[in-house]
Amino acid sequence: MSIEITGDAAPGFSLTPLERISARRVEHDWAWAQDNAEAIDRNWERRLAETPGLFDGPVYLASGCVLADGACEASLFEVRYSRFLAFRDAGVPDALVANAFAAIVPHSRDGAVLLGVMGAQTANAGQIYFPCGTPDPGDLRDDGTVDLAGSAARELLEETGLTLPEGAEQEWVLLRGDGQLAFLRPVRFDCTAETLKARIESHRGHEDEPELAHSIIARSRSDIDAARMPGFVQAYLASVFPA
């Protein structure tokens, strides 16, 4: 069963339904990072003081994307996590670069959407969004492509313990805004929201340091939390819940 997307995204975001997504690793000479190296180091020191467990590993950002015939291909280049974090903390000052990522959006049989509240040990502590993460070299394949779909499924499993149901829909939705390319895959699970939530909480209970503080259920626009939900989450929920 497909999930209805109305296209009524929140202000500042565009919503594009897609049949296919792909990504490829490219080389990119990122002038902004070179010009702001000292500020990036200071920001990283501040972030480490706040959250000592952060790791400055390699991740991918987007230097462009091409939309055509129901498909999108993103061009991704490698940076250190400290550069990505400083870029985001500075309000995404380079319009030619975007934070690109993919996420599974769990929908329940009774019409709700499941989200997670990020744990205190993460860089996004307290924020509410779908299970996702910034793609990294672990998602790179031998042919130079970056497996965004695989990244989304892996993050879903790691954060919630959920696996994609057999025959799950393949449709994607691209939310563009706030310097982000959010590739979202809505997937309906054949159980109620409370059952899904219980499964996620059970998974959390078996982890030494769960990434999620807890999970929440959204059933209507009244559940949109403008203070803690990033813009792409607010835009998506606005597109699936009637006004």
Side-chain angles (χ1 to χ4, degrees):
M1 180 185 297
S2 62
I3 295 163
E4 182 177 359
I5 306 294
T6 67
D8 182 19
F13 279 82
S14 65
L15 185 153
T16 307
L18 296 171
E19 297 175 5
R20 301 178 306 282
I21 66 169
S22 61
R24 180 166 295 278
R25 188 188 185 281
V26 300
E27 297 298 326
H28 181 70
D29 188 16
W30 196 14
W32 179 86
Q34 297 171 14
D35 294 342
N36 294 274
E38 293 184 2
I40 290 171
D41 290 342
R42 289 194 300 270
N43 189 73
W44 183 244
E45 291 175 1
R46 176 183 65 83
R47 281 294 202 148
L48 277 180
E50 296 171 350
T51 314
L54 295 180
F55 173 63
D56 194 16
V59 296
Y60 293 139
L61 292 179
S63 58
C65 72
V66 177
L67 288 163
D69 301 324
C72 180
E73 180 174 273
S75 299
L76 305 182
F77 66 101
E78 184 176 312
V79 300
R80 306 301 297 184
Y81 186 67
S82 56
R83 290 185 168 191
F84 159 63
L85 206 54
F87 172 69
R88 196 184 66 184
D89 290 347
V92 293
D94 185 349
L96 300 179
V97 170
N99 173 18
F101 55 90
I104 305 297
V105 181
H107 284 247
S108 66
R109 185 176 61 201
D110 51 343
V113 174
L114 277 291
L115 306 97
V117 180
M118 299 305 295
Q121 78 283 7
T122 68
N124 302 317
Q127 291 190 26
I128 302 171
Y129 50 85
F130 315 117
C132 65
T134 308
D136 60 44
D139 302 309
L140 182 64
R141 302 297 171 251
D142 293 340
D143 61 357
T145 61
V146 180
D147 187 4
L148 292 178
S151 173
R154 184 190 70 243
E155 292 290 341
L156 176 73
L157 178 62
E158 290 177 355
E159 294 185 19
T160 70
L162 300 176
T163 57
L164 292 173
E166 186 175 350
E169 301 90 343
Q170 293 290 332
E171 293 87 356
W172 293 82
V173 179
L174 171 59
L175 273 298
R176 287 180 290 173
D178 284 351
Q180 294 178 322
L181 299 174
F183 296 96
L184 306 182
R185 181 183 176 187
V187 174
R188 192 180 304 279
F189 289 78
D190 191 22
C191 53
T192 66
E194 293 296 342
T195 298
L196 276 178
K197 181 177 173 64
R199 290 180 182 177
I200 295 171
E201 295 305 317
S202 175
H203 173 74
R204 288 184 55 259
H206 289 88
E207 290 193 309
D208 294 332
E209 194 174 70
E211 194 163 351
L212 301 182
H214 57 91
S215 57
I216 66 170
I217 299 171
R219 297 186 183 276
S220 70
R221 288 196 180 195
S222 64
D223 294 316
I224 295 176
D225 187 335
R228 296 194 295 163
M229 291 180 178
F232 79 92
V233 174
Q234 297 180 50
Y236 179 80
L237 294 179
S239 77
V240 295
F241 292 130

